[in-house]
Every structure is written in structure tokens, then in C-alpha cells.
């Protein structure tokens, strides 16, 4: 199981197009937004823009890394029959799924780390030393619902469909969840929707820590609820992963 | 004429562990299929199939497309479940952890992990088994030497197929199941594939493979199970299969072309000609030969032979289709 996990990670880190997208996009967006809005006073979340946007873009990149490492890849592996081949080995289906979940979760980290480094080096962001790892691990752990969602997408959609579905899910969650702009500028109906989304609560978790406060329990519970819901659906539909395509 | 029957074949292969009730595969029984039926909608893919595969056998599942070979193999591997009947693999349910530990499989549509190298993939698959082959040995048997650093998505068709074989046998399974392993291979590649397999059969392992190449079943297997339309239609050694059809042929040359009247000769089932060469399929070649010599004075270069496996196959499956 560990050797399969290692190989899955190696495969991801070799995929340059994937890395460029999940790391390049949030870093570029961070540089753009933090420069354009950098002169503004504190944002709605009570942080200087360079920090508030850093947390938002780290969450954005982490979510993308996880979503894109799970759904589309799983769909392809299912389509080409690799998952079926793998299911004939002594590794149990539960372990195969666990590896896919963990490897997807691990791919939240590159975007987080690179966004932080960019913020620290280019925008001179400083935080108490302990906050950096806590913030990184918290954002990473908060991506659990997205990893489970990816398994659902990879189980039900085919290669191209999964790619498209993932991208739509990614952009909708990012935009409505307030990662690109504060939800306060949205109409009130959409604000209500935003506050139900896992992406919104992921950013909230990060902003609490960046303010030096303890994260609210409520945000964590909502993320857990999303994970539980998505995981239930994932377990139900993942039986499709090893079925014959013909 | 030596007389083969499926009974004598079965006795020969049962001799491994007489009277032993074994379920772990080191004894007599690797696979037991009992009254298995599988439907896809209105189509009966496998129809009341019963079959026992003994340890150490190399068994060919032979049949045309749509005979139910792949469906049977998916059920043996636990990838699909029978609608009726039972299957045991080493005494365990197909698809159970116990079955997976003892079975290596090469699927027709089995994919390989994208983006990794041949050596990496094999080492990973190997690590999933408790008593695998040495990596070098698996690479040797599958003739993948020199390709370890190649990305799996950059392999040719034949190389991919050899990698599938290596993945199937790197765990040193007691039973190797290969679904049309040589489909899409040219004659030369197919020969080198079976040459490679000899290294594995020599270890006393059980092999079950499906094919629609008759020569291949004849050469590579010591037992042939013939399927048509989901049913088992013949079971025995290649020689027994040919005999079970009960037909032999008389071939001869004629001066005047034409087969008129030949089909009516006693003992003859059918007659056809290629130019001046005539072939009679006969129920009884002794009677037919006497009648032929009396009827056609121009018959010469006469030879009497057993029916080829291909002809046996056509005769048997025609009987099912009729």
C-alpha cells in the first residue's frame, strides 16, 4: 500500500502540466490580486490584503490540487482498466481508495507552500513562525471534502467529462465561496449560498489563524459534514471503479 | 489407432493427489465451476457451465468470439458474479483476498498505470504480494530486459502485452489466468510469448488461458476446453478433442476434376475439391476407401488422416449452432 502511494505521488509530481496549473494559477492570481488590491485598507476579514489574499489563494490552489488529482485521474484510470487490473492484486478496494484519497490530499501542499513563499518573498508578508505550518496543515486538512468529491466525480464521469466537471466544480466553489473576492460584495441570496459551501469555510479557517485566533469550531464541523456527505456518496458509487467498461 | 477419451485424460491429470480433499491449491483442485450461468439482458453469455481445473494443468479455453470465454474469466476473477451456480478458486470465493493472493491475471482490457516506468510499476505490483518472484526473474520471463526505464505509455503493443504478463506473474501466483494473451500479436511475437511462458509452466504452476487460435491451444495447452454459445462443448487433450469428433479425412488427387457422386459413397459425410485435390470427410474411412477405389479409378496419391483441430472445432461448433 505504501509503495502504491509513493508511486501515485511520483506520478503526480512528474505531471508538469498538472503542476503548472495547480501551482502556477494560484501563485499568479495571488501576485495579480495582491498588487491590484494591495493599497486597500484591511479587507473584510480584518487582514491586510497581502495576507488575506494569500490565505484565499492558498486555499484556492489547495482545493484545485486535490480536485484535479482525484477526479480526472481516477476517471482515466477507470477507463483504461488500470483500476480493474489493480483490483486483481491482493490490495483491497478500500485500500486502493484510501491511497487515492491520501495522495490527492497530499497534492494540496505544493500550491499552499508556493503561495506562502511567494507572499513572503515578493510581498514581504510576515507571520509569527508557528502560524506558517499550522496554517498550511489546516488548509490542507480542510481539503478532505474535495478529495471525497473527486472520488465521486471519477467514479461517475468519463475522462473528458470528469475533467470538465472538475473544472466547473472548482470554479463555482472558488467564486461563490469567496476565494476570489469577499462574499460581502455578493447579493444577499448568494451570500447565503456561499456560507453553506466548504470552500467558504476553508478560507474562514485560514483567516482565523492568520489573525492569530483559534479557528471557529463551526467552520470545521461544516467541513466535516461535507466530507461525511461526499464520502458516503463516494463509497456508494466507487463500486463502479473496477467494473468492466464494456 | 490409439483411443483417447476425455475420461482417460481426466484420469491422467487427476493422478497428482489422488483422493485428497484439498482446497489450498497445492493438491488437486485450482478452480471449481459448478452449474454457472450468466446473462446479459436476454443474452445467455454462459450457460450452465461446470468445469474443474486441476493444479499443474495448462488449460486452453477455446472458442469463437462470443463463446463466453471472457465472461467466464471475469467470473473466475470475481469481476462479475454468476446469476446461478458456484465458483471456487483454491476453495475460496473468486475476488476474495485469499483468491487474489494465489491468482495472477492478464485481462484483455487491463490497463497500466499512466506516467510511470516499467521497472517502477513492476516493483510496486510485486510489493503487494507476500512471496513474489525476484523482480529480475519476472522481467526475464516476460522478456522485458532493457525496458525497465521506459515509460509505460511509450511501449509498443507487444511490449505492453509482455508488461501485462509480467504484472500477472510477478506475484508468483499458483494460478495464472490469461484472457486472449496473444490477441493482436503477429505470429513471431506469439511464438516468443509462449516461449517465455515455458519458463513459468516449468515451475509447475496452473495456467488457464483463452484463445481463438486453434494452433495455439494445440501447441501450448495440455487440456482444451471448448466453448460455444456459452456452453462447454468439448473437454480433453487436443488429441482427444479431435477424436471425439469421430471424423477422419481421405485426401486424394483425381485426373478429372469434380466431386459428383462422392458424397453418396458409404462412410462419407462430405466432399470438397480444390482443383484436382479432393478431400472427403468420413465417418468410417475403411468403408469409404473401398467404395472410393471402386467408384473412381482415377484416384491417386491417396492419404488418410485424422481431422485437424480447426476442422474439429468447426464441426463441433456447427453442431451447436444447428
Amino acid at each position: 500500500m505504501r509503495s502504491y502511494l509513493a508511486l501515485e505521488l511520483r506520478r503526480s509530481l512528474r505531471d508538469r502540466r498538472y503542476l503548472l496549473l495547480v501551482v502556477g494559477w494560484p501563485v499568479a492570481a495571488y501576485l495579480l490580486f495582491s498588487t491590484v488590491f494591495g493599497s486597500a485598507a484591511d479587507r473584510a476579514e480584518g487582514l491586510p490584503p497581502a495576507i488575506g489574499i494569500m490565505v484565499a489563494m492558498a486555499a484556492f490552489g489547495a482545493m484545485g490540487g486535490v480536485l484535479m488529482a482525484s477526479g480526472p485521474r481516477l476517471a482515466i484510470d477507470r477507463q483504461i482498466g488500470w483500476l480493474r487490473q489493480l483490483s486483481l492484486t491482493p490490495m483491497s478496494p478500500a485500500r486502493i481508495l484510501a491511497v487515492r484519497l491520501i495522495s490527492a490530499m497530499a497534492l494540496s501542499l505544493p500550491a499552499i507552500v508556493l503561495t506562502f513563499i511567494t507572499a513572503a518573498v515578493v510581498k514581504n508578508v510576515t507571520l509569527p513562525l508557528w502560524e506558517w505550518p499550522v496554517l498550511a496543515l489546516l488548509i490542507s486538512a480542510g481539503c478532505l471534502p474535495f478529495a471525497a468529491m473527486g472520488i465521486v466525480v471519477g467514479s461517475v464521469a468519463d475522462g473528458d467529462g470528469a475533467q470538465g466537471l472538475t473544472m466547473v466544480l472548482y470554479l463555482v466553489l472558488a467564486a461563490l465561496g469567496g476565494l476570489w473576492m469577499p462574499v460581502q460584495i455578493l447579493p444577499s441570496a448568494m451570500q447565503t449560498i456561499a456560507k453553506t459551501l466548504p470552500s467558504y469555510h476553508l478560507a474562514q479557517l485560514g483567516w482565523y489563524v492568520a489573525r492569530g485566533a483559534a479557528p471557529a469550531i463551526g467552520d470545521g464541523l461544516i467541513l466535516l459534514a461535507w466530507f461525511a456527505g461526499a464520502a458516503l456518496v463516494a463509497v456508494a458509487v466507487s463500486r463502479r471503479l473496477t467494473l468492466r467498461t464494456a | 489407432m490409439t483411443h483417447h477419451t476425455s475420461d482417460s485424460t481426466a484420469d491422467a491429470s487427476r493422478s497428482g493427489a489422488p483422493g485428497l480433499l484439498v482446497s489450498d491449491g497445492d493438491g488437486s483442485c485450482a478452480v471449481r465451476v459448478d452449474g454457472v450461468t450468466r446473462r446479459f439482458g436476454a443474452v445467455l453469455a454462459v450457460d450452465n457451465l461446470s468445469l474443474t481445473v486441476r493444479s499443474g494443468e495448462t488449460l486452453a479455453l477455446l472458442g469463437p468470439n462470443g463463446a463466453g470465454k471472457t465472461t467466464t474469466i471475469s467470473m473466475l476473477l470475481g469481476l462479475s458474479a454468476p446469476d446461478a451456480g458456484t465458483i471456487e478458486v483454491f476453495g475460496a470465493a473468486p475476488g476474495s483476498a485469499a483468491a487474489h493472493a494465489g491468482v495472477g491475471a492478464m485481462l484483455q482490457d487491463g490497463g497500466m498505470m499512466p506516467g510511470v516506468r516499467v521497472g517502477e510499476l513492476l516493483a510496486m505490483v510485486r510489493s503487494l504480494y507476500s512471496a513474489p518472484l525476484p523482480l529480475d526473474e519476472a522481467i526475464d520471463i516476460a522478456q522485458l530486459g532493457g525496458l525497465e526505464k521506459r515509460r509505460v505509455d511509450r511501449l509498443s503493443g507487444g511490449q505492453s502485452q509482455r508488461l501485462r504478463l509480467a504484472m500477472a506473474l510477478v506475484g508468483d501466483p499458483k494460478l495464472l489466468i490469461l484472457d486472449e494473451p496473444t490477441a493482436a500479436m503477429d505470429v513471431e511475437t506469439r511464438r516468443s510469448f509462449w516461449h517465455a511462458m515455458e519458463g513459468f509452466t516449468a515451475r509447475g504452476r496452473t495456467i488457464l488461458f483463452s484463445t481463438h487460435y486453434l494452433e495455439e491451444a494445440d501447441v501450448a495447452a495440455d487440456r482444451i476446453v471448448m466453448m460455444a454459445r456459452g456452453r462447454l462443448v468439448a473437454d480433453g487433450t487436443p488429441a482427444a478433442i479431435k477424436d471425439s469428433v469421430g471424423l477422419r479425412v481421405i485426401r486424394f488427387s483425381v485426373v478429372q476434376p469434380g466431386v459428383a457422386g462422392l458424397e453418396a459413397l458409404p462412410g462419407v459425410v462430405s466432399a470438397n475439391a480444390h482443383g484436382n485435390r479432393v478431400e472427403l470427410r468420413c465417418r468410417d474411412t475403411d468403408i469409404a476407401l473401398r467404395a472410393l477405389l471402386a467408384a473412381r479409378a482415377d484416384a491417386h496419391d491417396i492419404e488418410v488422416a485424422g481431422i485437424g483441430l480447426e476442422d474439429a472445432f468447426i464441426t463441433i461448433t456447427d453442431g451447436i449452432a444447428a
Side-chain angles (χ1 to χ4, degrees):
Chain A
M1 179 171 166
R2 251 179 307 165
S3 60
Y4 178 44
L5 178 60
L7 200 53
E8 276 292 345
L9 290 174
R10 201 180 303 175
R11 167 191 179 186
S12 295
L13 296 176
R14 264 190 206 145
D15 189 342
R16 290 200 199 118
R17 236 175 35 174
Y18 163 82
L19 283 181
L20 201 68
L21 193 65
V22 302
V23 174
W25 194 357
V27 166
Y30 172 72
L31 288 173
L32 179 70
F33 290 153
S34 63
T35 303
V36 172
F37 304 111
S39 55
D42 284 4
R43 300 216 320 167
E45 57 268 16
L47 287 163
I51 297 178
I53 295 173
M54 174 188 81
V55 170
M57 286 304 115
F60 171 66
M63 177 169 81
V66 171
L67 280 174
M68 283 187 267
S70 52
R73 254 181 224 163
L74 213 48
I76 287 171
D77 288 2
R78 188 183 96 237
Q79 248 181 324
I80 63 171
W82 163 239
L83 288 173
R84 191 164 40 245
Q85 182 72 46
L86 196 59
S87 73
L88 297 179
T89 69
M91 187 157 48
S92 69
R95 286 185 166 208
I96 296 175
L97 273 188
V99 166
R100 303 307 291 246
L101 194 78
I102 296 167
S103 65
M105 287 297 289
L107 287 156
S108 58
L109 289 171
I112 298 174
V113 170
L114 274 152
T115 306
F116 284 2
I117 290 174
T118 308
V121 172
V122 181
K123 295 292 170 183
N124 301 314
V125 166
T126 53
L127 290 175
L129 207 58
W130 65 269
E131 276 186 21
W132 292 107
V134 169
L135 203 48
L137 290 177
L138 202 62
I139 293 174
S140 177
C143 286
L144 257 179
F146 309 120
M149 285 179 194
I151 290 175
V152 174
V153 169
S155 302
V156 299
D158 280 345
D160 286 343
Q163 189 87 47
L165 198 57
T166 299
M167 209 40 102
V168 169
L169 196 63
Y170 184 26
L171 297 185
V172 167
L173 284 172
L176 280 183
L179 299 185
W180 285 345
M181 57 218 140
V183 291
Q184 284 79 0
I185 66 167
L186 294 174
S188 70
M190 286 175 86
Q191 283 192 38
T192 312
I193 297 173
K195 287 173 184 167
T196 66
L197 296 178
S199 43
Y200 173 85
H201 295 281
L202 179 62
Q204 293 295 327
L205 277 187
W207 285 324
Y208 273 112
V209 175
R211 285 195 297 265
I217 297 293
D219 294 310
L221 285 181
I222 291 173
L223 284 170
L224 266 182
W226 270 95
F227 170 63
L232 274 179
V233 180
V235 167
V237 295
S238 65
R239 288 175 54 87
R240 289 171 47 92
L241 289 174
T242 53
L243 285 185
R244 301 182 52 76
T245 45
Chain B
M1 177 183 136
T2 44
H3 199 77
H4 292 274
T5 67
S6 4
D7 277 344
S8 66
T9 330
D11 282 337
S13 46
R14 204 184 285 134
S15 62
L20 217 64
L21 267 179
V22 181
S23 55
D24 65 5
D26 293 328
S28 59
C29 182
V31 176
R32 197 189 301 275
V33 177
D34 191 15
V36 162
T37 294
R38 179 75 166 102
R39 274 182 206 85
F40 293 106
V43 181
L44 205 51
V46 173
D47 184 3
N48 195 23
L49 180 74
S50 293
L51 176 68
T52 301
V53 183
R54 293 179 181 84
S55 287
E57 275 184 332
T58 298
L59 184 149
L61 206 52
L62 177 65
N65 288 330
K69 306 185 298 288
T70 296
T71 307
T72 302
I73 283 177
S74 324
M75 289 190 291
L76 291 182
L77 295 171
L79 289 172
S80 77
D83 293 319
T86 55
I87 301 178
E88 280 180 16
V89 178
F90 299 121
S96 63
H100 279 163
V103 180
M106 184 170 158
L107 302 171
Q108 273 189 74
D109 50 2
M112 286 165 299
M113 186 170 174
V116 298
R117 299 178 201 288
V118 169
E120 292 170 343
L121 180 56
L122 272 180
M124 187 279 284
V125 173
R126 182 178 180 275
S127 75
L128 302 174
Y129 292 86
S130 55
L133 288 180
L135 193 55
D136 291 348
E137 196 175 332
I139 286 173
D140 267 2
I141 296 176
Q143 300 178 314
L144 284 169
L147 293 173
E148 293 94 329
K149 300 252 183 260
R150 186 81 58 91
R151 290 268 294 263
V152 298
D153 15 34
R154 309 234 165 89
L155 295 175
S156 73
Q159 291 167 340
S160 301
Q161 202 66 340
R162 297 211 298 274
L163 176 54
R164 285 195 187 92
L165 174 67
M167 286 199 292
L169 55 75
V170 73
D172 199 11
K174 291 182 284 188
L175 168 65
L176 193 58
I177 295 181
L178 313 168
D179 192 9
E180 304 209 359
T182 60
M185 282 186 189
D186 58 41
V187 177
E188 197 50 46
T189 322
R190 201 179 308 155
R191 190 171 301 145
S192 87
F193 178 88
W194 285 111
H195 182 68
M197 286 304 300
E198 279 166 20
F200 196 74
T201 48
R203 305 168 57 90
R205 297 316 203 191
T206 310
I207 297 179
L208 185 153
F209 70 97
S210 68
T211 180
H212 50 250
Y213 296 117
L214 309 159
E215 327 80 81
E216 181 168 273
D218 200 0
V219 171
D222 45 46
R223 177 178 168 199
I224 296 177
V225 168
M226 223 184 242
M227 286 184 79
R229 306 201 164 192
R231 278 191 271 167
L232 187 154
V233 294
D235 182 357
T237 61
I241 293 284
K242 283 181 256 179
D243 274 6
S244 73
V245 186
L247 292 187
R248 290 166 67 80
V249 292
I250 301 174
R251 293 192 195 91
F252 55 94
S253 298
V254 288
V255 178
Q256 294 168 325
V259 294
L262 290 175
E263 275 191 20
L265 294 176
V268 174
V269 174
S270 66
N272 51 69
H274 306 280
N276 284 340
R277 194 79 184 155
V278 178
E279 183 178 294
L280 302 181
R281 284 201 201 173
C282 304
R283 208 171 291 111
D284 187 329
T285 44
D286 296 341
I287 293 173
L289 191 53
R290 285 191 189 99
L292 171 66
L293 292 172
R296 292 290 291 255
D298 63 336
H300 59 282
D301 287 343
I302 300 173
E303 85 188 279
V304 178
I307 195 166
L309 187 53
E310 181 137 16
D311 290 326
F313 184 66
I314 288 163
T315 308
I316 291 172
T317 53
D318 277 357
I320 292 297

